[in-house]
Amino acid sequence: MNHPGTEPSATSVSSLPRVSRRHALIGLAALLAQAGFWSNPLSAAMSAPASAPATGLAPATMLFYTLSQTITGHRDLSAATAARIEQAMRTNVPGFADQLPRLGALLVTGQEAKALLAAASAADAGLRELALAIVAAWYTGTVAGNAAQGTKSIVVAYAEALMYRTVADGQVVPTYCNYGPLWWLKAPPAVGVSAPVAPKPVPAPATTGTPETKGKQAK
């Protein structure tokens, strides 16, 4: 036993249980989770993969996600990207918090994008502008700002921008590698067209009479 004020001996130190770095990190993560560090739905959506389902979203974010699915016509949207766009639009779009539930009230199960846009146009011009702004944000990956109001455009997505889906069959997202690293070393894919056929030889036209020698003068 060590007396107070004395240094612990080597034997007593070696007898203490050793905690690995892995166990220390697991314990820290458990403490943070218990403290509610990850209880924010927006934080959960931001950290989720792009293909993750929409779970744990706040009601307003879930409404925005459902609106986005309808107005864009794409049901496989990223919940994380939806949370980013919604947060950016709350910053850059005046009256967004008031207009979002009004636009959401026009939603109908199985509704097409054209029907929702028509309903928004009939209800209020501001709701139509909001619906189109949501589409623009999803396709460009950017929520536009307004210099007069002192707001700057906010980039919320790049590769997930819907504009790249339209040309995905023939163009890769700019700055992204096509078909993985060193893809140009592989054999090119089949183009699906038949090989060229050599044209058949055309016989020379038949001639009649005896050709005259050049320079021969008539007598």
Side-chain angles (χ1 to χ4, degrees), residues 65-218:
Y65 180 74
T66 306
L67 272 170
S68 298
Q69 289 178 309
T70 302
I71 198 62
T72 63
H74 294 279
R75 301 293 175 178
D76 58 342
L77 297 177
S78 164
T81 305
R84 296 186 189 107
I85 294 177
E86 184 215 1
Q87 189 65 35
M89 296 193 82
R90 289 185 182 276
T91 302
N92 280 9
V93 179
F96 175 83
D98 296 330
Q99 290 181 327
L100 180 64
R102 294 178 56 201
L103 184 60
L106 303 176
L107 278 172
V108 179
T109 303
Q111 191 177 33
E112 297 289 337
K114 291 183 178 179
L116 177 57
L117 183 59
S121 302
D124 186 358
L127 295 183
R128 173 184 171 85
E129 292 180 2
L130 177 59
L132 294 178
I134 294 174
V135 173
W138 276 104
Y139 269 85
T140 63
T142 303
V143 177
N146 190 322
Q149 298 172 354
T151 57
K152 298 182 179 180
S153 297
I154 302 175
V155 178
V156 293
Y158 181 62
E160 294 82 10
L162 295 181
M163 63 180 176
Y164 295 122
R165 291 193 185 185
T166 308
V167 294
D169 59 336
Q171 180 179 344
V172 181
V173 177
T175 74
Y176 275 61
C177 189
N178 189 7
Y179 306 115
L182 302 178
W183 63 270
W184 57 85
L185 298 180
K186 301 177 182 179
V191 294
V193 296
S194 58
V197 179
K200 296 180 180 180
V202 179
T207 58
T208 57
T210 303
E212 296 184 356
T213 306
K214 292 183 178 180
K216 184 177 180 182
Q217 298 180 355

